[in-house]
């Protein structure tokens, strides 16, 4: 099973990842002999408070993706008033330093503004973390996934 340990930075549990078109979109583009947008290297923060993975619109735009649906999302700043946001299907790869990468061929993600200004392009939520064993070691300031 792939696993990795990252050091928690002063900005939080950040990691590098790659976002690409979903498996179904990849097959459709290949079948139509259309160009495949290159995977986008991003910084992501692990967010156990996020129910779903969220990605900055700039990443989704670079992949030339169209929404596959929408959801109502509550955030810390929205309080009791959820706001609608678009959902996109993407592929996510989280490389492991000494292990095979974690691969997610198709993950529905929510488009979320203002992530990039905080130094990251995505929140890795419980939809992905729920498929992993996750260990937060506070005294050593490390996370093992």
């Amino acid at each position: 099973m792939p696993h990795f340990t990252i050091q928690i930075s002063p900005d939080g549990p950040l990691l590098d990842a790659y976002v690409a078109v979903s498996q179904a979109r990849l097959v459709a583009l290949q079948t139509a002999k259309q160009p495949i947008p290159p995977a986008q290297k991003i910084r992501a923060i692990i967010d156990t408070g996020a129910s779903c993975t969220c990605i900055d619109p700039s990443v989704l735009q670079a992949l030339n993706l169209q929404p596959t649906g929408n959801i109502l999302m509550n955030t810390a700043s929205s309080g009791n008033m959820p706001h609608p946001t678009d959902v996109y299907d993407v592929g996510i790869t989280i490389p492991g330093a000494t292990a095979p990468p974690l691969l997610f061929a198709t993950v529905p993600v929510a488009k979320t503004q203002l992530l990039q200004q905080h130094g990251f392009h995505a929140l890795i939520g419980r939809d992905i973390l729920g498929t992993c064993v996750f260990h937060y070691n506070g005294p050593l300031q490390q996370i093992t996934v």
Side-chain angles (χ1 to χ4, degrees):
M1 170 183 255
H3 68 279
F4 55 88
T5 299
I6 60 170
Q7 200 67 36
I8 300 170
S9 77
D11 294 326
L14 293 166
L15 53 83
D16 291 323
Y18 293 89
V19 179
V21 297
S22 67
Q23 183 66 33
R25 180 78 178 137
L26 176 68
V27 169
L29 289 170
Q30 289 173 330
T31 301
K33 298 187 190 311
Q34 296 291 316
I36 299 165
Q40 302 294 300
K41 184 176 182 182
I42 64 166
R43 290 291 283 164
I45 190 164
I46 294 174
D47 186 348
T48 60
S51 59
C52 67
T53 295
C54 301
I55 296 192
D56 191 83
S58 64
V59 176
L60 301 167
Q61 185 176 16
L63 294 170
N64 196 28
L65 296 176
Q66 298 300 315
T68 56
N70 59 51
I71 59 171
L72 290 176
M73 179 180 282
N74 283 51
T75 65
S77 62
S78 68
N80 293 353
M81 295 299 294
H83 61 89
T85 190
D86 290 330
V87 174
Y88 297 77
D89 287 343
V90 300
I92 297 178
T93 301
I94 302 172
T98 59
L102 291 173
L103 299 173
F104 301 91
T106 303
V107 178
V109 298
K111 177 175 80 172
T112 305
Q113 300 278 347
L114 305 175
L115 296 175
Q116 194 169 347
Q117 74 183 25
H118 297 292
F120 49 88
H121 304 93
L123 304 173
I124 302 296
R126 292 189 313 270
D127 54 342
I128 287 179
L129 295 174
T131 67
C132 304
V133 175
F134 176 77
H135 181 79
Y136 188 104
N137 186 332
L140 291 180
Q141 290 294 289
Q142 294 177 335
I143 288 178
T144 301
V145 179

